[in-house]
Amino acid sequence: MLHENFIHLHTVSGYSFKFGTASPDDLIATAARYGMPALALADRDTLAGTIRFAKAASRSGITPIIGISLRFLNDRNRVTLLARSGGGYPALVQLLTYINTHRGYRDWE
């Protein structure tokens, strides 16, 4: 296949308000169509689509890579974090929960 060795490490879904339109299912379907072995979902400031993404990937035989794109200082500064197997996803959830409940983005600006 044309893209069988390519793994996109920063896709966004419709859960990235104003930055993505595809559903997690559509992203995985496209990756499967191109023969990609894995795909990363790194929505902006949310993990809301990760469960749907992981389920769709599992059904398609594609390895899901879960991530998040977080802003800091201002919206032009972003960092993308990808979860490793094991404790990576819970660590992302814990980090996002902390940001949203203790500091929030207003404190980062």
Side-chain angles (χ1 to χ4, degrees):
M1 296 223 106
L2 183 62
H3 299 284
E4 63 190 19
N5 295 319
F6 180 76
I7 299 173
H8 202 304
L9 296 177
H10 191 208
T11 60
V12 296
S13 73
Y15 289 96
S16 289
F17 183 64
K18 294 185 181 180
F19 293 94
T21 58
S23 72
D25 290 311
D26 291 342
L27 291 171
I28 291 296
T30 300
R33 188 170 54 247
Y34 285 105
M36 295 178 183
L39 184 67
L41 179 67
D43 277 321
R44 294 171 62 101
D45 306 314
T46 185
L47 294 168
T50 59
I51 301 301
R52 286 188 170 113
F53 177 77
K55 286 181 177 181
S58 178
R59 287 190 303 268
S60 297
I62 292 175
T63 301
I65 302 169
I66 304 301
I68 189 168
S69 174
L70 293 172
R71 71 181 179 133
F72 63 98
L73 301 177
N74 59 51
D75 204 39
R76 292 186 319 260
N77 296 307
R78 301 193 76 79
V79 62
T80 298
L81 304 172
L82 300 177
R84 294 184 69 181
S85 60
Y89 178 70
L92 289 180
V93 171
Q94 196 171 28
L95 174 63
L96 188 59
T97 300
Y98 178 82
I99 290 169
N100 287 331
T101 59
H102 290 91
R103 291 182 61 184
Y105 286 119
R106 300 261 184 251
D107 294 340
W108 290 29
E109 297 178 338

